[in-house]
Amino acid sequence: MHDDLLKRHLELVIEANKTTNITRISTWDEGMLLHVEDSLVGLPEVEEAPEGRLVDIGSGAGYPGIPLAIESGRTTLLADSVGKKTAILASMVEELGLDNVEVYTGRIEDLAREKAGVFAVVTARALAQLSVLMEFASPLLQDGGRLVCYKANVSDEELHHALSLQERLGMSLVSDRAVELGDACRRIISFEKSGRPQINLPRKTGMAQKRPL
């Protein structure tokens, strides 16, 4: 049952991609490996998080959010600032009959103002550097909630910088593992919301990326 939904989602993505560029991946086999399987690599980290809602930030074509929603059964919000993408996401969610999934169009900082501390899990795939993801996730997460980052190559510098901001952002590293995926390598780095940030979050919209901490 789950497999059928995962495959149907990929079919819809490949179909939508013919008219709107929502993913670089265009073939079935590539999509199964680099979208579907890749999305599920982080499932163990998602399942370790407290019960509650998941938000996938910068959701794009719905990866990893839709496969994680299908497999975990969590109430899931797919957030993206690009209206063209969220319109496609909303139609895919409807087509798949996923009643545990909703779509949000807007900036992550605005979502954090509207739904502060509401989420048990934040997922982000290939979106931004770790420190920026921590800053985005901190105001969205409940205490003990988890940020699950899907990363490719993480330099020591990027990781050290993120770790140096743990206290300021109220986030603590809980796990870091690498998985081979075909010829590629996927790294899943997970943080816990462990305290109150020392700065007011979210900062003004756009600041996290324009002027990283």
PDB file of all heavy atoms in Angstrom, residues 84-97:
ATOM      1  N   LYS A  84       4.134  28.367  -7.101  1.00  0.00           N
ATOM      2  CA  LYS A  84       3.980  27.404  -8.197  1.00  0.00           C
ATOM      3  C   LYS A  84       4.224  25.975  -7.687  1.00  0.00           C
ATOM      4  O   LYS A  84       3.534  25.035  -8.069  1.00  0.00           O
ATOM      5  CB  LYS A  84       4.994  27.742  -9.300  1.00  0.00           C
ATOM      6  CG  LYS A  84       4.537  27.400 -10.687  1.00  0.00           C
ATOM      7  CD  LYS A  84       5.283  28.177 -11.784  1.00  0.00           C
ATOM      8  CE  LYS A  84       6.782  27.954 -11.723  1.00  0.00           C
ATOM      9  NZ  LYS A  84       7.463  28.457 -12.929  1.00  0.00           N
ATOM     10  N   LYS A  85       5.202  25.849  -6.803  1.00  0.00           N
ATOM     11  CA  LYS A  85       5.518  24.528  -6.243  1.00  0.00           C
ATOM     12  C   LYS A  85       4.425  24.060  -5.289  1.00  0.00           C
ATOM     13  O   LYS A  85       4.015  22.904  -5.311  1.00  0.00           O
ATOM     14  CB  LYS A  85       6.873  24.552  -5.521  1.00  0.00           C
ATOM     15  CG  LYS A  85       8.046  24.624  -6.477  1.00  0.00           C
ATOM     16  CD  LYS A  85       9.362  24.579  -5.726  1.00  0.00           C
ATOM     17  CE  LYS A  85      10.521  24.690  -6.715  1.00  0.00           C
ATOM     18  NZ  LYS A  85      11.794  24.859  -6.012  1.00  0.00           N
ATOM     19  N   THR A  86       3.952  24.965  -4.424  1.00  0.00           N
ATOM     20  CA  THR A  86       2.951  24.530  -3.441  1.00  0.00           C
ATOM     21  C   THR A  86       1.614  24.202  -4.117  1.00  0.00           C
ATOM     22  O   THR A  86       0.881  23.332  -3.644  1.00  0.00           O
ATOM     23  CB  THR A  86       2.744  25.575  -2.324  1.00  0.00           C
ATOM     24  OG1 THR A  86       2.487  26.842  -2.910  1.00  0.00           O
ATOM     25  CG2 THR A  86       3.955  25.660  -1.420  1.00  0.00           C
ATOM     26  N   ALA A  87       1.324  24.865  -5.239  1.00  0.00           N
ATOM     27  CA  ALA A  87       0.098  24.527  -5.980  1.00  0.00           C
ATOM     28  C   ALA A  87       0.190  23.098  -6.500  1.00  0.00           C
ATOM     29  O   ALA A  87      -0.765  22.316  -6.409  1.00  0.00           O
ATOM     30  CB  ALA A  87      -0.114  25.509  -7.137  1.00  0.00           C
ATOM     31  N   ILE A  88       1.365  22.736  -7.019  1.00  0.00           N
ATOM     32  CA  ILE A  88       1.581  21.359  -7.496  1.00  0.00           C
ATOM     33  C   ILE A  88       1.527  20.380  -6.319  1.00  0.00           C
ATOM     34  O   ILE A  88       0.897  19.331  -6.392  1.00  0.00           O
ATOM     35  CB  ILE A  88       2.928  21.253  -8.246  1.00  0.00           C
ATOM     36  CG1 ILE A  88       2.856  22.052  -9.556  1.00  0.00           C
ATOM     37  CG2 ILE A  88       3.274  19.797  -8.539  1.00  0.00           C
ATOM     38  CD1 ILE A  88       4.200  22.234 -10.250  1.00  0.00           C
ATOM     39  N   LEU A  89       2.176  20.761  -5.203  1.00  0.00           N
ATOM     40  CA  LEU A  89       2.160  19.901  -4.006  1.00  0.00           C
ATOM     41  C   LEU A  89       0.731  19.638  -3.537  1.00  0.00           C
ATOM     42  O   LEU A  89       0.363  18.508  -3.236  1.00  0.00           O
ATOM     43  CB  LEU A  89       2.944  20.556  -2.862  1.00  0.00           C
ATOM     44  CG  LEU A  89       4.464  20.434  -2.884  1.00  0.00           C
ATOM     45  CD1 LEU A  89       5.071  21.264  -1.753  1.00  0.00           C
ATOM     46  CD2 LEU A  89       4.902  18.978  -2.753  1.00  0.00           C
ATOM     47  N   ALA A  90      -0.062  20.707  -3.488  1.00  0.00           N
ATOM     48  CA  ALA A  90      -1.442  20.563  -3.008  1.00  0.00           C
ATOM     49  C   ALA A  90      -2.236  19.626  -3.913  1.00  0.00           C
ATOM     50  O   ALA A  90      -3.011  18.793  -3.422  1.00  0.00           O
ATOM     51  CB  ALA A  90      -2.119  21.933  -2.933  1.00  0.00           C
ATOM     52  N   SER A  91      -2.029  19.734  -5.224  1.00  0.00           N
ATOM     53  CA  SER A  91      -2.782  18.854  -6.121  1.00  0.00           C
ATOM     54  C   SER A  91      -2.287  17.409  -5.992  1.00  0.00           C
ATOM     55  O   SER A  91      -3.078  16.465  -6.083  1.00  0.00           O
ATOM     56  CB  SER A  91      -2.713  19.347  -7.572  1.00  0.00           C
ATOM     57  OG  SER A  91      -1.437  19.104  -8.107  1.00  0.00           O
ATOM     58  N   MET A  92      -0.998  17.210  -5.734  1.00  0.00           N
ATOM     59  CA  MET A  92      -0.475  15.847  -5.548  1.00  0.00           C
ATOM     60  C   MET A  92      -1.017  15.230  -4.259  1.00  0.00           C
ATOM     61  O   MET A  92      -1.387  14.064  -4.228  1.00  0.00           O
ATOM     62  CB  MET A  92       1.060  15.858  -5.551  1.00  0.00           C
ATOM     63  CG  MET A  92       1.647  16.178  -6.909  1.00  0.00           C
ATOM     64  SD  MET A  92       3.407  15.781  -7.132  1.00  0.00           S
ATOM     65  CE  MET A  92       4.218  16.999  -6.154  1.00  0.00           C
ATOM     66  N   VAL A  93      -1.052  16.033  -3.200  1.00  0.00           N
ATOM     67  CA  VAL A  93      -1.570  15.540  -1.912  1.00  0.00           C
ATOM     68  C   VAL A  93      -3.024  15.099  -2.066  1.00  0.00           C
ATOM     69  O   VAL A  93      -3.436  14.047  -1.560  1.00  0.00           O
ATOM     70  CB  VAL A  93      -1.437  16.647  -0.823  1.00  0.00           C
ATOM     71  CG1 VAL A  93      -2.273  16.320   0.402  1.00  0.00           C
ATOM     72  CG2 VAL A  93       0.031  16.836  -0.444  1.00  0.00           C
ATOM     73  N   GLU A  94      -3.778  15.888  -2.804  1.00  0.00           N
ATOM     74  CA  GLU A  94      -5.192  15.551  -3.034  1.00  0.00           C
ATOM     75  C   GLU A  94      -5.325  14.275  -3.862  1.00  0.00           C
ATOM     76  O   GLU A  94      -6.077  13.366  -3.517  1.00  0.00           O
ATOM     77  CB  GLU A  94      -5.878  16.714  -3.762  1.00  0.00           C
ATOM     78  CG  GLU A  94      -7.386  16.621  -3.706  1.00  0.00           C
ATOM     79  CD  GLU A  94      -8.057  17.870  -4.262  1.00  0.00           C
ATOM     80  OE1 GLU A  94      -7.374  18.910  -4.389  1.00  0.00           O
ATOM     81  OE2 GLU A  94      -9.241  17.791  -4.572  1.00  0.00           O
ATOM     82  N   GLU A  95      -4.556  14.209  -4.927  1.00  0.00           N
ATOM     83  CA  GLU A  95      -4.563  13.038  -5.814  1.00  0.00           C
ATOM     84  C   GLU A  95      -4.191  11.757  -5.058  1.00  0.00           C
ATOM     85  O   GLU A  95      -4.750  10.698  -5.277  1.00  0.00           O
ATOM     86  CB  GLU A  95      -3.579  13.310  -6.954  1.00  0.00           C
ATOM     87  CG  GLU A  95      -3.270  12.142  -7.861  1.00  0.00           C
ATOM     88  CD  GLU A  95      -4.231  12.008  -9.038  1.00  0.00           C
ATOM     89  OE1 GLU A  95      -4.904  13.004  -9.370  1.00  0.00           O
ATOM     90  OE2 GLU A  95      -4.310  10.907  -9.585  1.00  0.00           O
ATOM     91  N   LEU A  96      -3.226  11.888  -4.128  1.00  0.00           N
ATOM     92  CA  LEU A  96      -2.772  10.721  -3.356  1.00  0.00           C
ATOM     93  C   LEU A  96      -3.710  10.400  -2.190  1.00  0.00           C
ATOM     94  O   LEU A  96      -3.570   9.367  -1.548  1.00  0.00           O
ATOM     95  CB  LEU A  96      -1.355  10.964  -2.821  1.00  0.00           C
ATOM     96  CG  LEU A  96      -0.232  11.070  -3.870  1.00  0.00           C
ATOM     97  CD1 LEU A  96       1.030  11.657  -3.250  1.00  0.00           C
ATOM     98  CD2 LEU A  96       0.062   9.718  -4.497  1.00  0.00           C
ATOM     99  N   GLY A  97      -4.634  11.314  -1.904  1.00  0.00           N
ATOM    100  CA  GLY A  97      -5.577  11.095  -0.802  1.00  0.00           C
ATOM    101  C   GLY A  97      -4.905  11.087   0.561  1.00  0.00           C
ATOM    102  O   GLY A  97      -5.316  10.348   1.465  1.00  0.00           O
TER     103      GLY A  97
END
